[in-house]
Amino acid sequence: EMDTMLLVYAGGVYHLCWATFDFFWPYLFNWEKTLAPLDDFNRPILRITGKLLSFLYTALAFFSFFHAHDLLETGIGRSLLIFAALFWTIRAGMQIHFYGFKKANQIRKPEMPFSRLFKNTSNQAVSTMLFVIMTIGVALYLIPAVLTP
């Protein structure tokens, strides 16, 4: 049981990282400039969605840190573990659908404050890395949901 508990705690750290990343998404990807061409109706949708994702990730981290035992021992907890695993399964699938691996190289890189860091990195490598990171999210919650009696 301790091993599955550690995976749930690691899932909490995982979700805090995603919450932080998504919170800063508008700044990292220069949304003031890149979303400027959108109309006043559509532009806020991306900001609203980003903030809601940050909230979701923070909530999953909270449950992982402060209710890990309940996640492993109760029906609703196991359901939440499966929800998190399904969420990351769907998100990883969307990564492939929208960005693919080789297909990602056809996408123009956005202007970012840290563009120099990824200057020599292909979009394919970034998309593959994100897919692997999302698959880790699946494992962090699916393994405890399946292995806990």
Side-chain angles (χ1 to χ4, degrees):
E1 183 186 329
M2 191 57 190
D3 292 340
T4 54
M5 188 78 76
L6 289 175
L7 288 174
V8 171
Y9 288 138
V13 172
Y14 177 86
H15 281 106
L16 277 183
C17 291
W18 275 108
T20 303
F21 181 66
D22 275 20
F23 181 81
F24 289 106
W25 192 267
Y27 312 104
L28 296 173
F29 290 94
N30 197 11
W31 276 11
E32 284 297 321
K33 181 180 177 184
T34 57
L35 299 184
L38 294 177
D39 59 63
D40 291 339
F41 179 81
N42 286 300
R43 190 179 322 107
I45 291 173
L46 291 171
R47 291 184 182 274
I48 291 167
T49 304
K51 290 191 186 325
L52 284 173
L53 279 174
S54 287
F55 176 73
L56 172 67
Y57 299 150
T58 303
L60 288 170
F62 173 82
F63 292 130
S64 297
F65 290 134
F66 299 105
H67 296 283
H69 188 269
D70 294 326
L71 290 174
L72 295 169
E73 301 294 329
T74 67
I76 192 74
R78 299 290 274 299
S79 296
L80 196 54
L81 291 173
I82 291 168
F83 166 81
L86 281 173
F87 176 88
W88 288 109
T89 300
I90 292 167
R91 180 58 185 88
M94 293 170 92
Q95 184 69 26
I96 294 169
H97 177 75
F98 290 106
Y99 297 100
F101 298 114
K102 288 184 180 180
K103 181 173 91 173
N105 284 332
Q106 300 168 4
I107 299 169
R108 184 176 55 85
K109 288 184 181 179
E111 292 180 30
M112 300 178 286
F114 52 90
S115 292
R116 287 183 180 173
L117 295 175
F118 295 101
K119 181 180 177 186
N120 296 320
T121 306
S122 71
N123 286 352
Q124 178 180 353
V126 172
S127 188
T128 301
M129 179 185 67
L130 286 170
F131 177 79
V132 169
I133 290 169
M134 291 166 194
T135 303
I136 290 169
V138 175
L140 288 172
Y141 288 93
L142 185 60
I143 292 170
V146 171
L147 292 184
T148 304

